[in-house]
Each structure stands twice: as structure tokens, then as C-alpha cells.
Amino acid sequence: MTSSLRPHGDRKSPSSPPSPPSRQRDAFFDNAKYLAIVLVGVGHAWGQILDGNRTVETLYRVLYTFHMPAFIVISGHFSRSFDLSPKRVRRLITGVAVPYLVFEVAYTLHRRVSEDPQSDFSLLDPTYLLWFLCALFVWRLTTPIWQTVRRPLPIALCIAALASVTPSIGNDLNMQRVLQFLPCFVLGLVLRPEHFRLVRRRSVRILSVPVVAAALLVAWWSVPRMETGWFYRNAAMQETGAPWWSGPVLTLALFGCSVVLTACFFAWVPGRRMWFTALGAGTIYGYLLHGFLVKEGSYAGWFQHSFLDTPLGEIGLTVLGAAAVTLLCTKPVQRALRYVVEPRMDWAFKRVPGDAARGRAKPERSEARDPAAAPAAPNGSGEKVSV
């Protein structure tokens, strides 16, 4: 009688288990990250031509209500597995802390060359857009707390409201923004995939149109009546000349508006692969690098040209800002600057027991994986920074 387990037959040997199916990145999140970083770049361009331009400032206020909250919600959602393990702490250092230090020095040197030769280095006072890396570092470290407490979002809102009436917090690490944007990060932590599917329904997409139209009308009305600086959330209310009690009111109002407009934004993000989907893996590059273009334009007076006061000039600046950010997210830029934006730095860390064994057990899988095709897993597990 012949054996049914033939070593050389057509059937596979039972000692060779089937390889696990390869995972793919979620196109929705890559699309959302790319579109969000484009809006950030456009917003920074608009910020240079606000004086006396009510139309641009209206669009600017609507944009600043949701584009950074959307960024932060995604970052929070991709930080859910952060647990202070050595692997994740190492990724936090190489993916957030080291780029912050490198680019803080680079932005200071750029300012010394282009504007002020006496500009000081300050690791505690983030330059321009680097506040986000400081905030992300602090938020990630506190993730286990928010994963433990029973009502994380109300607690985060209370902290943000208290920060808005506390001028003594100061500017170190831009802590006002860290605390006032904290609820958006915590919201990302508590959201589940089904929540994102909920806002992507056709009914929500249709409803978002009148909601955005109403937001534009309110923003138009607010231009002569509200301070634009309130949308930055980088100061206590008393420092803006407003009464202290308006801090908690504005905190809750801005958070509510941010959630609604962020939902509208997510409703229109495509869920399928698009021509720009692959660029979602490189948004950290576009974020960190486009600031040099904006700052150089500010130092050199590019934004003072009268052409930018015309509708055609405003449209041209918008298109140019979006195109520049898009180019900075591409593969050639990633390959050229990966060593400073996403350094490995194995030499700087102790070997974690078990790492060598795991590396020997799965060499093919770790070497064959293309970083751009990696699954959309939480950043705490080793993926890229979600910006």
C-alpha cells in the first residue's frame, strides 16, 4: 500500500506550511495623508498673502480649522499600539526626535544664511512647522495613559481648556499647541476602522457639501470679528486680549468645528488607489522640506510681488504650493534624504533580546518588503510617521 503523503508527488509536504498572505497599505490613509500635506503646503503659501485679502483669509480660516486636526487624528490612529517597548521607543527616537534635532539645526542655519546671521539655536523653541514633531513625541509617550483611562477624550478636552487660560505655560516645546491639539490626537486613538468607514458613506459625502458651504460663510463673517491667531492654538486667551473665560468656550467650539470639517474631508478622500497614493508614504518629507521654500520666499520678499494680489496670482500660488509639496514627497527625494529623515541608527541602541533570533527566522520577509508597500500598521509598530 502506498503512502498518501508522497515526498515527491504533486501534493505539498505537510512540513511546508503555506506562506502568509502579503498585506498591503490601506489606500484610504495614504490618500488622506497626501491630500492633508498638500493642504498644509497650500495653507502656508496662503499665510504669506493674507493682508487685506478677505477671500484668501476666509479660505485660510476654513483650512486651518481642519487640516492639522486631520493630520493629528491620523497620527493618533496610527499610534494605537505604542506601548513604550524598546522597539517602539527606538522608532520614536529615530522617526521623530532625531529628525526634529536635525531640522531644527537646518532651519536655524538657513535663517542665518538668508536673513539673520545672529539667529540663535534653540532646541526648546521649535522653528516654524517643527512644533508638530515635538507634539508628536509628547503625545506618543502619553499614549499608554490614554489607552488606560476610562474617559480619555473628555480628560484631554479639559487639559486643552485649562491650557488655553494658562499663560505661564510658556513657549518651551510649543507646549500650548501640544496641549490644545491634544484632543485631536486622543480622538485618533479612540477611533476604530469602522468609524472611518462610517464617514466615507455616500450620504455623508453629500451632506458635507452644505456643511462646508456654511463653514465658508461663517469664516467670511469672522474675518473682521475674530483674531486669525486663535486658529493656531499657540497662546492662552489672555495673551490675545480676550477674557479668560473665552478660552474653554473657544477650545470646545474649535474642536467641534474641527471634528465636523475633518469628517467632511475624510468623506471625500478616495478609498481606491490613485496616481498620488504612493506619495502618502513620503508625507513626512514634504512636511519637513516645504518649510524651507516658504521661509526662503519670506526672507527674499517673493510674496511681496503685486501679482500675488490678483486672482490669477493667488491661483498660481496655490497650484505652485501643491506642486512643490507633491514633488517633495516623491521617491527620489525619499531616497536622497532617508538617512536624516528616517535613520536606522542601529549603532546607537542596545540589542533587544530575541531580535537576532527573529531576524534569522524571517530574513527573506524582512529583506523583500518594500517600505513604500508596507501595510498601514500603527506607527508604534515601526511604520513611518503619519504626517
Side-chain angles (χ1 to χ4, degrees), residues 361-377:
K362 297 186 284 187
E364 300 90 345
R365 184 176 179 184
S366 62
E367 292 172 4
R369 176 177 293 178
D370 179 0

Side-chain angles (χ1 to χ4, degrees), residues 136-339:
L136 187 59
F137 188 86
V138 174
W139 293 333
R140 284 262 174 88
L141 287 179
T142 63
T143 295
I145 298 176
W146 307 115
Q147 299 282 34
T148 302
V149 298
R150 181 168 294 179
R151 297 287 186 268
L153 190 55
I155 294 173
L157 282 169
C158 289
I159 292 174
L162 290 173
S164 69
V165 296
T166 312
S168 60
I169 288 178
N171 295 324
D172 288 352
L173 299 182
N174 217 318
M175 196 57 65
Q176 278 287 356
R177 271 179 167 165
V178 173
L179 297 178
Q180 292 194 41
F181 277 111
L182 175 63
C184 298
F185 181 81
V186 175
L187 176 62
L189 286 175
V190 302
L191 289 177
R192 296 293 177 261
E194 55 266 26
H195 297 133
F196 289 95
R197 289 194 294 268
L198 184 65
V199 300
R200 292 161 60 191
R201 295 185 304 177
R202 185 171 182 269
S203 58
V204 179
R205 192 175 301 118
I206 295 174
L207 183 60
S208 68
V209 176
V211 170
V212 173
L216 289 169
L217 290 175
V218 172
W220 176 273
W221 171 87
S222 73
V223 169
R225 297 172 176 85
M226 294 176 61
E227 292 287 340
T228 303
W230 291 354
F231 294 86
Y232 303 146
R233 310 185 207 190
N234 60 354
M237 275 295 107
Q238 297 94 316
E239 296 176 291
T240 65
W244 70 269
W245 53 264
S246 62
V249 174
L250 190 63
T251 297
L252 295 176
L254 281 177
F255 179 74
C257 293
S258 298
V259 171
V260 172
L261 290 180
T262 296
C264 293
F265 168 71
F266 286 147
W268 283 94
V269 171
R272 64 186 184 280
R273 290 195 63 83
M274 307 290 288
W275 65 266
F276 53 78
T277 301
L279 300 178
T283 49
I284 181 63
Y285 295 84
Y287 183 82
L288 292 174
L289 295 172
H290 84 275
F292 288 106
L293 298 177
V294 178
K295 283 296 185 182
E296 182 61 31
S298 177
Y299 299 151
W302 299 344
F303 300 107
Q304 304 302 318
H305 199 286
S306 59
F307 175 68
L308 296 179
D309 294 329
T310 66
L312 186 60
E314 294 158 7
I315 294 173
L317 181 63
T318 302
V319 173
L320 183 61
V325 171
T326 298
L327 289 175
L328 293 174
C329 293
T330 56
K331 287 292 182 184
V333 176
Q334 293 181 45
R335 285 193 293 267
L337 295 178
R338 193 181 302 277
Y339 68 99

